[in-house]
């Protein structure tokens, strides 16, 4: 409806350099062997225009809450956490726009049903803060209570 030119592909080799404004890989990278991740992101970088963005979601390798997602699929080959995403983005010169928990909807079918969701999200934020301050010396993007890790990179 909005005249976006959308392509669904599993082979970026088919496209010229600087072809896409945006590349999205939801639940894809964990299926790629660890030694091939850099090559995959190099291809993503190659097909992105300058300023283009890459959005990826993976089971959160920084969190025990990501384990059921990671271990629930025999085709998952690589556990990816924020450290690996930072390494890959730095090695390819991609800027991290966002690295952390995927956004959650706080709204439910009724206001009353939304209250427990809202309270749980507050406890998750407090828990993430305590985990970061207790176990990590540097400012980290660990989203401990999130089952998925969302990354937005820019060329």
């Amino acid at each position: 409806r909005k005249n976006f030119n959308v392509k669904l592909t599993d082979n970026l080799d088919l496209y010229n350099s600087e072809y896409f404004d945006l590349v999205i890989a939801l639940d894809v990278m964990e299926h790629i062997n660890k030694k091939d991740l850099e090559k995959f992101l190099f291809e993503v970088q190659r097909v992105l225009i300058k300023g283009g963005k890459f959005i990826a979601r993976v089971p959160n390798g920084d969190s025990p809450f990501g384990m059921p997602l990671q271990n629930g699929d025999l085709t998952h080959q690589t556990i990816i956490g924020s450290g690996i995403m930072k390494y890959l983005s730095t090695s390819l010169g991609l800027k991290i726009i966002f690295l952390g928990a995927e956004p959650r909807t706080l709204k439910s079918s009724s206001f009353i049903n939304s209250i427990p969701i809202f309270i749980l999200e507050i406890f998750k934020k407090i828990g993430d803060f305590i985990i970061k301050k207790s176990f990590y010396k540097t400012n980290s993007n660990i989203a401990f209570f999130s089952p998925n890790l969302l990354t937005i990179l820019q060329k």
Side-chain angles (χ1 to χ4, degrees), residues 84-108:
I84 288 175
M85 291 306 293
K86 286 177 186 175
Y87 170 82
L88 290 169
S89 64
T90 301
S91 69
L92 293 169
L94 297 168
K95 179 181 175 186
I96 297 174
I97 302 296
F98 179 82
L99 179 61
E102 65 181 342
R104 289 208 24 157
T105 303
L106 297 179
K107 186 177 178 184
S108 183

Side-chain angles (χ1 to χ4, degrees), residues 16-86:
N16 293 331
S17 296
E18 299 187 358
Y19 185 84
F20 292 107
D21 298 309
L22 175 67
V23 174
I24 300 174
L26 302 178
D27 305 316
V28 171
M29 292 179 64
E30 66 272 15
H31 296 271
I32 300 171
N33 187 295
K34 191 180 269 188
K35 65 182 177 68
D36 295 326
L37 277 175
E38 210 162 9
K39 180 182 180 227
F40 169 74
L41 274 181
F42 176 81
E43 281 300 301
V44 167
Q45 178 195 41
R46 182 186 67 77
V47 299
L48 282 174
I49 64 168
K50 184 171 173 60
K53 291 185 176 69
F54 172 63
I55 299 174
R57 180 182 67 194
V58 297
N60 188 355
D62 293 334
S63 169
F65 299 101
M67 291 175 103
L69 298 174
Q70 180 66 33
N71 295 329
D73 187 336
L74 288 174
T75 64
H76 288 180
Q77 296 186 33
T78 305
I79 298 172
I80 301 170
S82 59
I84 288 175
M85 291 306 293
K86 286 177 186 175

Side-chain angles (χ1 to χ4, degrees), residues 130-148:
I130 291 169
I131 296 284
K132 288 177 193 179
K133 293 299 180 189
S134 300
F135 297 103
Y136 298 94
K137 294 183 181 190
T138 60
N139 187 15
S140 67
N141 296 85
I142 303 293
F144 187 78
F145 290 97
S146 176
N148 287 304

Side-chain angles (χ1 to χ4, degrees), residues 105-118:
T105 303
L106 297 179
K107 186 177 178 184
S108 183
S109 57
S110 72
F111 176 74
I112 296 298
N113 290 341
S114 297
I115 293 172
I117 296 169
F118 182 72

Side-chain angles (χ1 to χ4, degrees), residues 1-5:
R1 285 187 312 210
K2 302 222 181 224
N3 293 324
F4 289 117
N5 183 7

